[in-house]
Amino acid sequence: MSTDDQHVPLPGSERKAPTQAMKLGATEPHKRMSVSVYLRRGNAQQFDHVLEGHTRGTGLQAQGPLTKKEFAERFSADPKDIALVEKFAAACGLQVEARDPARRLVVLGGTAEKMAAAFRVTLEQYEVNGSVFRAREGFIFVPLELQQVVVGVFGLDARPQARAHFRLGRKRPGGKGVEAAAPASRSYNPTEVARIYRFPTNLTGAGETIGIVELGGGYKEADLQTYFASLGVAQPPSVQGVSVDGGANQPSGDPNSADGEVALDIEVAGAVAPGARQKVFFAPNTDQGFQDAISQAIHDSDVTLVSISWGQAEAGYTAQALTAFNQTLQDAVTLGKTVFVAAGDNGSSDGETDGKNHVDFPASSPYVVACGGTTLEADPATGAINSEVVWNESAANEGATGGGVSDVFSRPDYQGNAHVPLPQGSGGGRGVPDVAAVADPVTGFNVLIDGQTVVTGGTSAVAPLYAGLFALVNEGLRAAKKGRAGFVHPVLYANPEVFRDITQGNNGAFTAGPGWDATTGLGSPLGDQILAALKAQPVAGSDLPV
């Protein structure tokens, strides 16, 4: 559809038709649907100043985190902007289902027919491998007065947006089902990995809450109880499912489904930080569900750390999605919350077939800790590491750590001395990942999924492992009256000695070497040294939350 004198294309909203999908016809016109409309930030210049203070600070929480109330008072969407969206909705026969000014979110509901007319789009049904979904092609159109007000509109298109970055261990020849790793390699309990990586002892993560984002699948409470008991965890973590956009804890019974991701995240984080509560945010696997789940987790009053093990190549997102997601991740920085994201399991191409290098998003956001993967051979009894190299089993079709250089986000200040390779184009420059840990499914984690004990790897395991580690770190920092780690990048990059440098291996286009590299970042953690380095940082104020 073309623009007219009243409606204009929403910048960054253009989408191509789904590939390798069969078009089934128009979406049923009377089908009820909801869309999430994200608005521009109030007091944007002031927010940028606050954000810069956090990202360039040399001390711990250089400016101190904002409380939820402070954030809402200073940086919510302008009431006038919300009123404009509500006026637009009323004129189009749509209903306002929810408003969240702090998240800059207005949810609109209505029939597919009225949504299509309001945003000047054509909604079609597509099918891939038995899965039917709604999609659109081209731009979203909005009234001229909303062009600068609206950052993104999500929910018109419901195609799958992200992949879970977990991989089950290889099957032995002739074996039935998923078994432990191949002979000559061994797998680990998360508690053993914590010992190998020298996680702080005598800490449990008490007082912390890890928000885990999931786009499908579910967990069984009985599995969690059995699993933690098998590890000798006397008091299992409190785990609460949270519904986002109709998502729910719905285990399928198949360990190779999204259930594998959910169980892996909960069990790894909970095993290393059993004292930390967990909130698991279940949402549909769409750009709307993904964005809404991240936003809800970050703005949840309880959540202090966030783990995200889903994503796909930057090229798979619209520009409006990259912008809206990244702005939400900026919110986490000012709220003092640390976000850990899996860097992907498909090497330097990130699974794309155009012959170019790609990095995974949201791992490529400069406001998250991007988590890459290694292959680990160690003795958990002594903690001695015999070998740790870049995870790359792509020759056996078993994956490789993601890593490379963003084509979208510029190189952040904290990577100024990291010798990040040049991006492929004129934009971009942010290096991925920041950190790493064991991810190879051949030397992966023992977990319990849908009643089956399996070995699981992928960078999906690394994000919750670091979230658990930093639950311990935050507990230690609060005991030392240092607040929480928050935006931790400047401290980590200034203290590379708190990581075990990985210098062997590659992920395709990029090779490991001394210092930061685009395969395993700064390296695998020396947990006790990370805590010590953060404790040594100055604190700007004494009003940090405890």
Side-chain angles (χ1 to χ4, degrees), residues 8-305:
V8 293
L10 180 63
S13 65
E14 186 177 17
R15 290 208 86 155
K16 296 180 180 179
T19 58
Q20 300 178 337
M22 179 185 299
K23 184 185 291 188
L24 302 178
T27 298
E28 200 279 311
H30 301 296
K31 183 176 179 61
R32 183 81 184 179
M33 56 184 291
S34 297
V35 299
S36 297
V37 182
Y38 282 83
L39 310 182
R40 62 186 173 185
R41 195 187 303 282
N43 298 317
Q45 289 186 333
Q46 186 183 109
F47 179 87
D48 290 343
H49 177 72
V50 172
L51 180 68
E52 183 179 14
H54 281 82
T55 57
R56 291 194 175 186
T58 56
L60 186 64
Q61 290 290 357
Q63 288 194 350
L66 299 174
T67 65
K68 182 176 182 177
K69 180 180 178 182
E70 290 170 339
F71 184 96
E73 289 174 345
R74 297 174 65 179
F75 303 123
S76 288
D78 191 314
K80 294 180 181 178
D81 287 350
I82 295 176
L84 282 175
V85 174
E86 293 176 339
K87 179 181 177 182
F88 160 73
C92 296
L94 304 177
Q95 294 75 49
V96 176
E97 296 182 340
R99 307 171 188 82
D100 193 330
R103 294 168 61 195
R104 297 174 289 111
L105 171 63
V106 179
V107 180
L108 303 181
T111 64
E113 182 178 47
K114 289 185 177 180
M115 285 288 185
F119 292 103
R120 308 295 177 92
V121 297
T122 299
L123 302 178
E124 305 272 6
Q125 297 296 109
Y126 290 82
E127 186 267 333
V128 175
N129 298 326
S131 176
V132 177
F133 56 87
R134 180 179 65 249
R136 63 177 178 84
E137 185 178 0
F139 282 97
I140 294 169
F141 290 81
V142 295
L144 183 61
E145 62 266 26
L146 291 180
Q147 184 181 28
Q148 300 301 317
V149 170
V150 175
V151 173
V153 176
F154 305 102
L156 295 168
D157 193 302
R159 74 185 76 185
Q161 181 59 59
R163 297 186 294 263
H165 294 314
F166 81 102
R167 292 182 179 248
L168 297 185
R170 92 173 41 153
K171 299 177 182 178
R172 287 195 180 95
K176 293 182 179 180
V178 180
E179 300 185 7
S185 294
R186 64 150 297 151
S187 54
Y188 308 93
N189 294 328
T191 48
E192 294 175 327
V193 173
R195 187 179 306 120
I196 292 166
Y197 286 145
R198 294 164 44 181
F199 282 18
T201 57
N202 301 320
L203 297 170
T204 68
E208 300 298 309
T209 299
I210 300 171
I212 300 176
V213 172
E214 302 292 0
L215 304 180
Y219 64 89
K220 297 178 179 179
E221 185 64 34
D223 279 352
L224 301 186
Q225 296 296 327
T226 300
Y227 181 75
F228 291 121
S230 74
L231 298 181
V233 177
Q235 183 63 45
S238 167
V239 180
Q240 175 188 353
V242 179
S243 176
V244 179
D245 296 346
N249 175 27
Q250 295 178 327
S252 69
D254 178 6
N256 203 30
S257 70
D259 291 2
E261 181 61 66
V262 176
L264 174 67
D265 292 343
I266 294 172
E267 291 172 5
V268 168
V272 302
R277 296 176 58 204
Q278 295 186 22
K279 280 191 171 182
V280 187
F281 295 83
F282 288 100
N285 186 5
T286 63
D287 59 1
Q288 178 187 29
F290 202 6
Q291 162 65 6
D292 287 353
I294 294 173
S295 174
Q296 189 165 330
I298 285 173
H299 284 271
D300 187 288
S301 297
D302 296 331
V303 170
T304 56
L305 303 151

Side-chain angles (χ1 to χ4, degrees), residues 356-436:
K356 298 180 180 180
N357 297 324
H358 293 271
V359 292
D360 214 71
F361 181 83
S364 65
S365 167
Y367 303 105
V368 308
V369 180
C371 301
T374 70
T375 297
L376 176 69
E377 296 286 352
D379 182 350
T382 64
I385 295 177
N386 302 318
S387 170
E388 190 168 21
V389 300
V390 178
W391 168 41
N392 189 345
E393 294 285 341
S394 55
N397 198 31
E398 293 172 347
T401 183
V405 185
S406 172
D407 290 326
V408 176
F409 303 102
S410 60
R411 188 182 67 190
D413 289 342
Y414 56 79
Q415 288 188 325
N417 297 319
H419 306 292
V420 178
L422 293 174
Q424 296 171 119
S426 57
R430 190 290 205 247
V432 177
D434 297 300
V435 299

